[in-house]
Amino acid sequence: MESSVSLAAFPRLDVRTMADDGDALRFCSTCAFSQACLDQGMDKSALLDLHVLVEHVGPFHAGEHIFREGDPFEAIAAVRAGTVKTYVIDQDGREHVLGFHLPGEVIGLNAIDGDHYPCNAVALDTVMLCRFSFPKIAVLAARLPGLQRQLFRLLSRDIGRAALLAGDWSADQRMAAFIVGLSRRLAARGFSPNRFQLTMARTDIANYLRLAPETVSRVLKRFQQEGLLAVDRRELELTGRDVLEKLAGPVLRD
Amino acid sequence: MESSVSLAAFPRLDVRTMADDGDALRFCSTCAFSQACLDQGMDKSALLDLHVLVEHVGPFHAGEHIFREGDPFEAIAAVRAGTVKTYVIDQDGREHVLGFHLPGEVIGLNAIDGDHYPCNAVALDTVMLCRFSFPKIAVLAARLPGLQRQLFRLLSRDIGRAALLAGDWSADQRMAAFIVGLSRRLAARGFSPNRFQLTMARTDIANYLRLAPETVSRVLKRFQQEGLLAVDRRELELTGRDVLEKLAGPVLRD
DNA sequence: CGGGATGTTGAATATGATCAATGAGCGTGG
DNA sequence: CCACGCTCATTGATCATATTCAACATCCCG
């Protein structure tokens, strides 16, 4: 039933050699990774080196797997469009959602320690990726301090992010933090912060937040009654951002 | 009341220039970091380069801070002896324990993304450290692929580790996973896996596991009644390792 | 239309938290 | 050496939040 298109096995597509600077900068304009590398002190000629080892892959359609637990680790990837869910299946066959990855964010970082991906990654809608061979990018990072620094930062940031959900927060705080977090991440990529689609099912949200799906329903309903949200199916509008931010504050630490 | 000896501000002690290979390898024999780097393909001459930028600092005594949230980030450090607790204080003044760091483990990795430490680190008993200036080690990593690889692995591993506690496990599972986890980490450093001291207070364990201190007491008592543990004050003996491993299994994923 | 997946609602239940009190260990000082 | 005080740990009783179980509603796609 489920299709499985392994990133590792994905044919190398769309590898172009850059001719001129302008082309290079247009090449991956939606991929925040390049911009961040520039910010870390990489010059444009270095960016060219980075871009020649990028492969644009996709589209992956909803339900298609990008990689699976145990697949040999070869590459990290930046999400260019769509949403990726990462998850594991435990011994009892229960799914545990590890995270949702929006455009501009990088998947596969937790695979660096080990030869295989430690989790599954699946597209929730139509997903486009920039694939970076990790061995190659590691070699390049040795030449480009800006790139090395950016990779260290990405990894370090994820450590902190993973700790957020670990707290013993209430269902309300978790839900608020999830919504505000999504909103901010979307805003950072240029999307509307106050009105967006939930690309994941309620059960996925519940699983991610370690709540029962019923609890997610009830909290959303109450938020709506309190005027914090307008919920219509998977469409979300933030109507009481200040209160949500305040609820989410302790979780997001700001 | 509390003493604060910032690692950042700590005077550079014990910086030696290595004369010969034998000396270098003895230099940091209790620091697993060097060994791990060797395993990652670094040769001995490269290890010399690494060792000249190591500073052995300490001892820190119980309650002394190694660094504090907001201190400028300059260095990561490997624990050579003792236990380090990392934690944050939230807006309401409540402490959140992020982790306990045993000999051989590295602290400060989550500070790489940002100019300041994002948490506090305090010694729970007498702590000795190997301090590595991060700017210097990053420069060195560009020359030494084995070192770069080891740093990437350390960072990547911590991402996975942080996700473990995030699950919605029962108090019994959390407690078992904590004990089994400690046991394994101690065993990896050559300590007895079935009999060891808890260097942290019950309240710290509770805080780390997101349980009430009372719950920790009750679970420990029940484990003892069921013959899984012998608890005496902070002394712990694992008498039913198989059952504990089975309880911890889903949390530790093995 | 119809059927299956997804989402919502209500009532009962359970797990761990909270509150309050007691106990044990340990350092200090008389 | 014992008394004191402090911190840390334990125990019991009550309470609250979120889960579970069951039924129903809705949406989407054939």
Side-chain angles (χ1 to χ4, degrees), chain B residues 169-172 210-212 214-215 218 233:
Chain B
W169 313 109
S170 70
D172 285 19
R210 320 301 170 188
L211 298 172
E214 295 92 330
T215 304
R218 287 186 247 267
R233 193 79 182 139

Side-chain angles (χ1 to χ4, degrees), chain B:
Chain B
M1 188 55 41
E2 52 180 341
S3 49
S4 169
V5 180
S6 165
L7 177 61
F10 206 91
R12 284 168 173 68
L13 296 177
D14 204 6
V15 182
R16 311 186 212 164
T17 310
M18 292 303 99
D20 65 276
D21 198 280
D23 196 13
L25 291 179
R26 264 191 294 109
F27 182 38
C28 199
S29 58
T30 56
C31 163
F33 190 72
S34 303
Q35 185 56 48
C37 289
L38 277 176
D39 297 342
Q40 288 307 309
M42 264 176 60
D43 57 25
K44 289 182 181 174
S45 70
L47 205 56
L48 274 176
D49 291 329
L50 178 58
H51 277 167
V52 294
L53 59 78
V54 166
E55 303 165 34
H56 281 210
V57 296
F60 296 90
H61 301 291
E64 278 184 337
H65 276 75
I66 292 152
F67 53 77
R68 289 179 185 275
E69 182 171 358
D71 282 352
F73 169 64
E74 295 176 4
I76 60 176
V79 177
R80 217 154 46 95
T83 313
V84 174
K85 174 180 83 169
T86 49
Y87 69 97
V88 294
I89 303 291
D90 72 15
Q91 296 146 328
D92 308 332
R94 274 192 290 269
E95 175 174 330
H96 294 253
V97 175
L98 301 180
F100 302 104
H101 305 266
L102 307 181
E105 300 174 347
V106 175
I107 59 176
L109 292 175
N110 58 346
I112 294 174
D113 172 47
D115 299 328
H116 302 273
Y117 290 101
C119 64
N120 304 277
V122 64
L124 294 183
D125 46 12
T126 302
V127 167
M128 304 291 291
L129 298 176
C130 293
R131 180 185 190 274
F132 300 84
S133 153
F134 190 73
K136 287 182 189 169
I137 208 172
V139 169
L140 190 59
R143 281 206 295 118
L144 305 176
L147 175 58
Q148 189 194 61
R149 186 167 164 81
Q150 175 60 14
L151 285 171
F152 281 143
R153 291 176 81 102
L154 277 174
L155 281 157
S156 175
R157 192 177 309 165
D158 269 23
I159 296 176
R161 190 168 289 170
L164 288 186
L165 258 294
D168 59 343
W169 313 109
S170 70
D172 285 19
Q173 289 176 308
R174 289 168 123 70
M175 200 64 224
F178 176 69
I179 292 167
V180 170
L182 271 186
S183 166
R184 290 184 188 172
R185 288 153 69 197
L186 288 169
R189 305 302 314 138
F191 297 100
S192 161
N194 290 323
R195 188 175 185 85
F196 52 86
Q197 288 274 340
L198 296 173
T199 48
M200 64 294 291
R202 295 283 194 278
T203 51
D204 284 337
I205 299 175
N207 191 312
Y208 176 62
L209 298 177
R210 320 301 170 188
L211 298 172
E214 295 92 330
T215 304
V216 170
S217 268
R218 287 186 247 267
V219 173
L220 283 178
K221 189 188 181 187
R222 190 156 33 72
F223 279 0
Q224 186 159 25
Q225 288 168 344
E226 291 166 355
L228 309 183
L229 288 178
V231 188
D232 175 30
R233 193 79 182 139
R234 293 196 179 178
E235 186 86 17
L236 215 62
E237 186 176 357
L238 279 64
T239 51
R241 186 168 243 285
D242 45 346
V243 179
L244 288 172
E245 296 262 6
K246 201 171 164 187
L247 264 173
V251 184
L252 302 178
R253 296 187 49 72
D254 58 9

Side-chain angles (χ1 to χ4, degrees), chain A residues 54-206:
Chain A
V54 166
E55 304 166 33
H56 281 209
V57 296
F60 296 89
H61 301 291
E64 279 185 335
H65 275 76
I66 292 151
F67 53 76
R68 288 179 184 275
E69 182 172 357
D71 282 351
F73 169 64
E74 295 176 5
I76 60 176
V79 177
R80 216 152 49 93
T83 314
V84 175
K85 174 180 85 170
T86 49
Y87 68 98
V88 294
I89 303 291
D90 72 12
Q91 295 146 329
D92 307 333
R94 275 192 290 268
E95 177 174 329
H96 294 253
V97 175
L98 301 180
F100 303 104
H101 304 267
L102 307 181
E105 301 175 345
V106 175
I107 58 175
L109 292 176
N110 58 347
I112 294 174
D113 172 47
D115 299 327
H116 302 274
Y117 290 101
C119 63
N120 304 277
V122 64
L124 293 183
D125 46 12
T126 301
V127 167
M128 305 290 291
L129 298 175
C130 292
R131 179 187 191 272
F132 300 84
S133 153
F134 190 74
K136 287 181 189 169
I137 208 174
V139 168
L140 190 58
R143 281 206 295 117
L144 307 176
L147 176 57
Q148 189 191 62
R149 186 169 163 82
Q150 175 61 14
L151 285 172
F152 282 142
R153 290 177 80 102
L154 276 174
L155 281 157
S156 175
R157 191 177 310 165
D158 269 23
I159 296 176
R161 188 168 290 171
L164 287 187
L165 257 294
D168 58 345
W169 314 109
S170 71
D172 285 17
Q173 289 176 307
R174 284 173 188 281
M175 199 66 223
F178 176 69
I179 292 166
V180 170
L182 271 187
S183 166
R184 291 186 189 170
R185 287 153 68 195
L186 288 169
R189 305 303 314 141
F191 298 99
S192 161
N194 290 323
R195 189 174 184 86
F196 52 88
Q197 289 274 342
L198 296 173
T199 49
M200 64 295 290
R202 297 282 194 277
T203 51
D204 284 338
I205 300 175

